Amino acid sequence: MYEDFKVTDRWTGEELHCSWKGTVVAIATRHADATDIRFQVNGRAVWIALPNTAWVEQKHRTGKVITDYLAAQIGGRYLKSLVESGYDNGREMYTMTVDEVLEQADAVVKEAGRTDNLPSLPVINEDIAPERVFGRLPADNAGPVQLPPEHVVL
């Protein structure tokens, strides 16, 4: 969905390739109460900062949590909307509000149908799903992680 996508810049018509590169809790890195989602956009780093209070508010409003997978999709969908609307001006970091995070989360889950359908992260190889290599992933909350057979080559 939004972990690796192409979008056309509204003003230049340039096609931008956006790919998720990582998620960092910003408390340690920049002393901010946020979680930063890093994307590579045609070779430049772009960070989307999601306020950590959005996790609390999502749980309070819906009883559901924002997973790492969902956070990456939220950041990607937001980045795509910035570029399509012409708001992306080449900045390195964009900060979302709590309401924007919750709106994007609702939209992503609606598009996916349910959170089980969200693409897995990390993107190790676009031709191989991580579950095939690692078995079930730790964030799946379905018991112990199964290690891949010895003969699997990464």
Side-chain angles (χ1 to χ4, degrees):
M1 290 176 59
Y2 300 103
E3 76 286 353
D4 190 41
F5 62 93
K6 292 184 179 175
V7 62
T8 302
D9 184 287
R10 177 179 177 168
W11 302 116
T12 66
E14 177 185 10
E15 183 176 74
L16 303 176
H17 179 218
C18 306
S19 59
W20 173 86
K21 294 298 177 186
T23 302
V24 178
V25 178
I27 294 168
T29 56
R30 58 185 184 89
H31 306 286
D33 187 18
T35 297
D36 296 340
I37 313 297
R38 182 178 184 271
F39 286 88
Q40 195 77 15
V41 180
N42 279 12
R44 72 179 168 100
V46 175
W47 297 84
I48 306 296
L50 287 67
N52 288 338
T53 52
W55 272 253
V56 176
E57 189 61 27
Q58 172 77 354
K59 180 71 172 176
H60 176 73
R61 287 185 187 182
T62 68
K64 307 220 184 304
V65 298
I66 297 174
T67 63
D68 290 347
Y69 301 154
L70 181 55
Q73 298 300 322
I74 290 168
R77 190 172 194 282
Y78 184 74
L79 174 59
K80 186 172 190 256
S81 71
L82 290 175
V83 174
E84 288 175 335
S85 68
Y87 186 72
D88 174 36
N89 63 0
R91 290 182 6 209
E92 186 175 325
M93 179 166 282
Y94 296 90
T95 302
M96 297 178 71
T97 66
V98 170
D99 287 336
E100 287 172 329
V101 171
L102 300 178
E103 287 171 20
Q104 294 293 338
D106 288 345
V108 166
V109 172
K110 185 175 181 179
E111 286 177 35
R114 60 182 206 234
T115 55
D116 293 14
N117 295 334
L118 294 175
S120 297
L121 301 172
V123 179
I124 297 169
N125 178 327
E126 60 188 38
D127 298 323
I128 301 173
E131 296 83 10
R132 284 201 54 213
V133 176
F134 296 118
R136 193 200 49 74
L137 297 176
D140 294 339
N141 296 323
V145 175
Q146 298 173 0
L147 296 176
E150 293 289 327
H151 65 278
V152 173
V153 177
L154 301 178

